[in-house]
Amino acid sequence: RQMCIRDRVSTQSTWGLLFRRLQMEIDLLHPDPVEEAKLHKLKRLVQSPNSYFLDVKCPGCDKVFVVFSHAQTVIKCHDCDQILCRPTGGKCKLERGVGFRKKQFQITLTLYNSFRLIFI
């Protein structure tokens, strides 16, 4: 059956009305980064872990160590035996005077890919 021009116009306007009524209050394709950070790691638009690696600097001997953010053991400096961080239920707690910086995710991903290439 062929549609006449009048039917096409009414169909298009009906879809336009439905689309306007069905618009959501939030944009699912471009979520707010602050709201995304509050969500559980598996419920985000792109799943990402809450953990990361830290460069921790010992205040006694100025040596830098790589520490996991959710470390489950006490981390001590190898040279001066000063405690750098203590475990808690989740993220580890850094001691006073200890300097740190968060490692970039891209470096970790590059190391993972090169590690994977070696053993495949």
Side-chain angles (χ1 to χ4, degrees):
R1 165 182 162 212
Q2 291 185 350
M3 293 178 72
C4 65
I5 295 173
R6 185 178 54 201
D7 290 339
R8 286 185 192 163
V9 171
S10 64
T11 304
Q12 289 173 356
S13 62
T14 304
W15 281 110
L17 289 173
L18 282 174
F19 180 72
R20 284 191 209 109
R21 287 184 191 157
L22 296 177
Q23 281 184 340
M24 299 184 71
E25 295 177 8
I26 57 172
D27 187 7
L28 294 177
L29 290 177
H30 305 94
D32 184 30
V34 175
E35 294 297 321
E36 277 286 304
K38 293 178 185 177
L39 292 175
H40 187 269
K41 63 182 179 180
L42 297 178
K43 304 264 182 180
R44 295 180 187 141
L45 184 62
V46 176
Q47 295 179 3
S48 61
N50 294 330
S51 57
Y52 46 89
F53 289 94
L54 298 165
D55 279 334
V56 177
K57 187 176 182 182
C58 177
C61 61
D62 292 335
K63 209 169 186 185
V64 177
F65 297 93
V66 178
V67 177
F68 187 58
S69 65
H70 290 68
Q72 296 180 353
T73 59
V74 174
I75 308 295
K76 290 185 177 182
C77 179
H78 300 299
D79 295 340
C80 59
D81 285 337
Q82 184 173 356
I83 295 176
L84 301 176
C85 64
R86 297 179 185 272
T88 61
K91 293 184 179 177
C92 63
K93 184 176 181 181
L94 297 173
E95 294 294 319
R96 287 194 175 187
V98 175
F100 74 96
R101 93 176 149 192
K102 192 174 176 180
K103 285 243 188 210
Q104 296 295 323
F105 175 73
Q106 296 150 349
I107 296 169
T108 309
L109 187 61
T110 306
L111 290 173
Y112 171 75
N113 286 338
S114 62
F115 180 75
R116 198 177 68 170
L117 290 174
I118 293 170
F119 289 101
I120 289 183

